[in-house]
Amino acid sequence: MKETINLLKKHNELRVIDEELDIYLEIPHLGYAEVKKADGGDALLFTNVVDKKTGKKFQEPVLMNVFGSYKRCELLFGRTIESVADEITKLLHMKPPAGFMEKLSMASELFALKNIFPKRLKGEGECQEIKYLDDEVDLYKMPVLTTWEQDGGPFITMGQVYTQSLDGEMVNLGMYRLQVYDKNHLGMHWQIHKDSSHFFDQYQKAGKKMPVSIAIGGDPLYTWCATAPLPYGVNELLMYGLITKKPAQLVKSLTTPLYIPRDVDYVIEGWVDPSEMKIEGPFGDHTGYYTLEEPYPVMEVSAMSMKKERIFLATVVGKPPLEDKYMGWATGKIFFPLLKTTVPDLIDYHMPENAGFHNLILAKMQPLYKGHAKQFMHAFWGAGQMSFVKHAIFVDEKAPGLEEYEAFSEYILNRFSPKSMFITEGILDALDHSSPESLVGGKLGIDATVDNALEAPQLLDDDTLFARVKELVDDAKALQQYMTHTSNPITVISVNKTRKVKEYFDALVALSPHMRIVVFVDEQKNDVANPYMLVWRVTNNMDSQRDVFVSGLMVGIDGTNKNKLDGFVREWPDDVDCTVSVVEHLKKIGVWDLDETFYNKFQL
Ligand SMILES: Cc1cc2nc3c(=O)[nH]c(=O)nc-3n(C[C@H](O)[C@H](O)[C@H](O)COP(=O)(O)O)c2cc1C
C-alpha cells in the first residue's frame, strides 16, 4: 500500500485530507463526491480518521477511490489494459510454432507463464506482524466505514475473500461486502451465483464449518482480481501473475488452511458455520438503491492480523458514476477475448456506466445470417456473470462507436420497430429489485443489426404534445421528447402514478401518430430533462416481461417504481441519497469541493 501511495503521489493522483473525519458517513461521502468529478477525481488518503460515536482515533489512514480513473487503473496494473487483453488473445490463439524464430518467441512466452502460479512461502508474512487471537479479536480495531444512513452497520467494502472447496482442490478469490455485526462476527454477502457460495453449499451438505480468510489492501491488483469474473474453479490470483509476470507470494493464515498474499495490510480469519444464517443489510448498493435485508452466512472470526504500518482500503457505491465504473472498464476489456471464444463474431461491447453494468449492454457484431443477433442474445444470457444482463442492444459493424451515445442512439432509432424487440426470461443479479420475483426476470434484446426502418411520426412540440397528453392522462406532470430527428423519437412522461402505467399507455394510443417510444417515470425524484439519470432509473426499474407494451408502432416502457397498483408484492427499496447534514458539515470545514451542478446531475 505504501508503494501505491508513492506511485499515486508521483503521478499527481492523490489528495491527502488531514481534517478529522468520521468513519460514519463523512469519509464515504467525500469518496462518493470525488469519483463523480470529471475523470474520476483523485484517490483520497484520509489521515485523521475517527469514530465520533466512541471517540476512537485510528492510527491508520483510510484510502479511497484508488481505482477511480482510467489513468490510475493502468498505473495500478503497471501496464495498459489493452496489452493485457492482447496477451490473453494471443494465448487463446497459440498455434504450434512454424520455424526456429517462432519457437524461440513461443518459448519465452511460455517461460513467462510459469510466473502466473501463486507461490506458497514458508513462515509468516508482513501481514502477520501484529496478531490478535481468540478473545483478543476485535473488528472495531479497524476503521470500517458506514457508507449510508440506512445501512445495517459498518461494511468492509474491499475485502479479498479467500475460500476453498470442501476437498481443498479449488481455491477462490472473490470480492463480497462484509457486514460487521459485532467484534468477532461478519456477514458474508456472497450472492447465490458466486463461486464462494457454491463452495459454501458443499460445506453445508457435508455439515462442516467452512474456513474463510479475508485480506484487505496489499497490492491493489489483488482487489481487482477478486472482482474478476473468472470461471468456477479458476483461482483469480492466476490473473495477478499473468498481469504482473510475478507470482503472488502467499503465506498461510494463522488459524485457517487458506493462503493469503504476504503483503496485504490486514487479514481476518475464521469459520462459517453453515447451519447459521443471519439477516444482512440493508446496504446502499451500486444499483443506486438499497439492497434489502436477506439472510446470509456468518463468519466467526478466529484471528486478525495486520501490518505495523498499514492503510485501510475502502470504496463507496451508490448512484453512478462510481469507482467500479473504472474497475468494470478494465474487466470488460480484459474479458473481451474470453467472451469472443463463445461469440466469435463479436466486434466490441460496452456497458454504459449510468445503467449500472448489468442493466444494459451495447454490442457490435458482424451478422452473418438471419437470427445471428438472437443467437448472441442467448449466448450472452447463458455466459457466466454476463447472464445477469437485463437489456442488450446489438448493432452491426456499420454502427458508430458504442460510446458515441448520440450517434449510436440515432443509428438504432432509425432502424428500430417493435419487431426489433425480443423478450424472454432468464437469471438476474441477486441485487435486482424490479422483477416480480427475485433472481429471475425479463430480458429484453434489441436486434438493430436488421433495418426495420419506419416512417417518422408527425411531430408536435413538447408543449403542444404535453397539453394533448394531459387531456388523456391527468396524472401526467411533465414531458420531454428526445431524438426527434429520428424515426423513433422518445417521449419521456413523468406521472404522479395512481393507476397502472399500462392504462396510461392505452389511453395515449390515441396519440400514436405523434409518438413512437413512450417512457413513463415517477414525478417524484425524476427530472425528465436529465437523460443520464433517466437511463439509470429506467433500466434499473423495468422488468421487460411486465413493463414493455406494444400497440401498433408505439412502444411503452414503464420505468416507474412498482407497488400494489402493479400487483408487486416484494419490498421496493429506497434510493441511495447523501445525508444533507453530512454534506453541509463537509462543506463547512472546506473539504467538499464538488461543483453544485454535479449535485443535480447525479442526483446525490
Ligand atoms: C465494489 C464491488 C462490490 C461488490 N460486492 C459484492 C457483494 O457484496 N457480493 C457479491 O456476490 N458480489 C459482489 N461484487 C461482485 C463480485 O466481486 C464479482 O462478481 C466477482 O467476480 C465474484 O467472484 P467469484 O465469481 O469468484 O465469486 C462486488 C464487486 C464490486 C466491484
Side-chain angles (χ1 to χ4, degrees), residues 156-158 161 172-178 188-198 223-232 234 236 280 283 285-286 296 315-317 323-324 327-328 357-358 385 388 429-431:
I156 295 170
T157 49
M158 279 195 150
V161 179
N172 191 66
L173 163 60
M175 189 165 112
Y176 322 109
R177 69 174 187 241
L178 307 152
M188 304 280 110
H189 189 256
W190 48 57
Q191 295 152 5
I192 193 161
H193 305 113
K194 306 299 171 73
D195 293 349
S196 298
S197 173
H198 303 329
T223 302
W224 177 81
C225 288
T227 67
L230 281 171
Y232 176 66
V234 182
E236 280 76 5
E280 198 267 2
F283 177 74
D285 219 315
H286 88 124
Y296 270 91
T315 190
V316 58
V317 289
E323 186 176 3
D324 68 8
M327 299 173 87
F357 295 106
H358 293 118
Q385 294 186 36
F388 300 151
D429 190 312
L431 302 181

Side-chain angles (χ1 to χ4, degrees), residues 182-306:
D182 56 40
K183 72 191 205 42
N184 62 345
H185 290 94
L186 277 179
M188 304 280 110
H189 189 256
W190 48 57
Q191 295 152 5
I192 193 161
H193 305 113
K194 306 299 171 73
D195 293 349
S196 298
S197 173
H198 303 329
F199 288 172
F200 174 76
D201 293 344
Q202 299 173 359
Y203 288 87
Q204 198 168 41
K205 275 200 192 105
K208 288 194 171 158
K209 286 193 178 175
M210 173 177 175
V212 180
S213 287
I214 298 157
I216 302 170
D219 186 333
L221 211 48
Y222 302 139
T223 302
W224 177 81
C225 288
T227 67
L230 281 171
Y232 176 66
V234 182
N235 181 353
E236 280 76 5
L237 284 181
L238 291 173
M239 197 55 122
Y240 179 86
L242 184 93
I243 296 166
T244 60
K245 300 281 168 276
K246 291 182 301 194
Q249 300 197 357
L250 310 180
V251 291
K252 196 183 152 298
S253 303
L254 302 171
T255 58
T256 73
L258 295 155
Y259 281 74
I260 33 85
R262 63 168 180 79
D263 59 330
V264 293
D265 289 66
Y266 300 82
V267 186
I268 306 162
E269 312 172 4
W271 297 80
V272 172
D273 178 348
S275 65
E276 190 195 348
M277 302 286 263
K278 192 169 167 159
I279 290 296
E280 198 267 2
F283 177 74
D285 219 315
H286 88 124
T287 53
Y289 284 86
Y290 281 91
T291 42
L292 304 171
E293 293 181 327
E294 273 190 87
Y296 270 91
V298 183
M299 165 171 151
E300 182 167 337
V301 184
S302 49
M304 277 171 74
S305 66
M306 52 190 82

Side-chain angles (χ1 to χ4, degrees), residues 79-90 333-334 337:
R79 56 193 285 194
T80 63
I81 304 301
E82 213 69 54
S83 73
V84 181
D86 287 349
E87 190 177 342
I88 293 175
T89 307
K90 234 164 133 189
K333 289 224 171 303
I334 289 172

Side-chain angles (χ1 to χ4, degrees), residues 22 56 98 149 165 185 244 326 375 422:
D22 198 352
K56 184 175 168 62
E149 200 177 286
S165 56
H185 290 94
T244 60
Y326 301 97
Q375 185 188 31
F422 171 60

Side-chain angles (χ1 to χ4, degrees), residues 353-569:
E353 67 187 48
N354 49 335
F357 295 106
H358 293 118
N359 289 336
L360 179 63
I361 190 166
L362 314 176
K364 191 183 272 197
M365 62 182 288
Q366 172 73 63
L368 298 177
Y369 38 80
K370 194 172 166 188
H372 202 167
K374 280 208 183 73
Q375 185 188 31
F376 269 41
M377 290 174 198
H378 289 292
F380 272 48
W381 291 327
Q385 294 186 36
M386 191 58 96
S387 42
F388 300 151
V389 163
K390 285 212 295 185
H391 311 112
I393 302 179
F394 287 85
V395 291
D396 60 4
E397 73 286 359
K398 293 188 287 299
L402 302 179
E403 294 181 54
E404 295 167 43
Y405 294 137
E406 266 314 293
F408 181 78
S409 310
E410 191 177 305
Y411 188 81
I412 306 166
L413 292 169
N414 280 330
R415 299 162 77 84
F416 178 84
S417 89
K419 270 201 299 198
S420 315
M421 293 192 296
F422 171 60
I423 294 177
T424 183
E425 192 177 76
I427 67 159
L428 293 179
D429 190 312
L431 302 181
D432 181 81
H433 62 264
S434 68
S435 163
E437 56 179 323
S438 63
L439 303 176
V440 290
K443 303 277 190 185
L444 169 66
I446 293 178
D447 179 359
T449 63
V450 178
D451 189 352
N452 291 320
L454 299 173
E455 290 236 334
Q458 302 150 22
L459 285 181
L460 299 175
D461 63 64
D462 283 358
D463 290 342
T464 312
L465 184 59
F466 183 55
R468 301 278 301 272
V469 165
K470 201 69 191 146
E471 284 166 15
L472 299 164
V473 174
D474 189 42
D475 290 338
K477 297 296 166 197
L479 176 150
Q480 179 147 340
Q481 297 179 92
Y482 291 92
M483 307 303 286
T484 47
H485 59 293
T486 69
S487 45
N488 281 287
I490 299 174
T491 309
V492 180
I493 301 175
S494 67
V495 291
N496 181 10
K497 187 165 117 174
T498 59
R499 286 189 281 153
K500 274 188 179 182
V501 165
K502 174 76 168 55
E503 293 179 27
Y504 299 141
F505 176 76
D506 290 343
L508 293 182
V509 167
L511 293 176
S512 61
H514 309 293
M515 297 197 288
R516 282 285 151 75
I517 300 175
V518 187
V519 179
F520 298 88
V521 291
D522 294 299
E523 178 201 15
Q524 299 83 4
K525 296 205 161 188
N526 290 301
D527 175 1
V528 294
N530 184 343
Y532 182 94
M533 292 310 286
L534 285 171
V535 170
W536 164 75
R537 179 74 77 187
V538 174
T539 56
N540 241 316
N541 274 7
M542 66 182 275
D543 175 88
S544 50
Q545 282 184 313
R546 179 194 54 213
D547 297 330
V548 177
F549 324 117
V550 178
S551 174
L553 298 181
M554 204 166 118
V555 174
I557 293 173
D558 178 359
T560 63
N561 293 1
K562 304 302 177 301
N563 56 33
K564 280 197 209 116
L565 288 172
D566 307 283
F568 192 84
V569 291

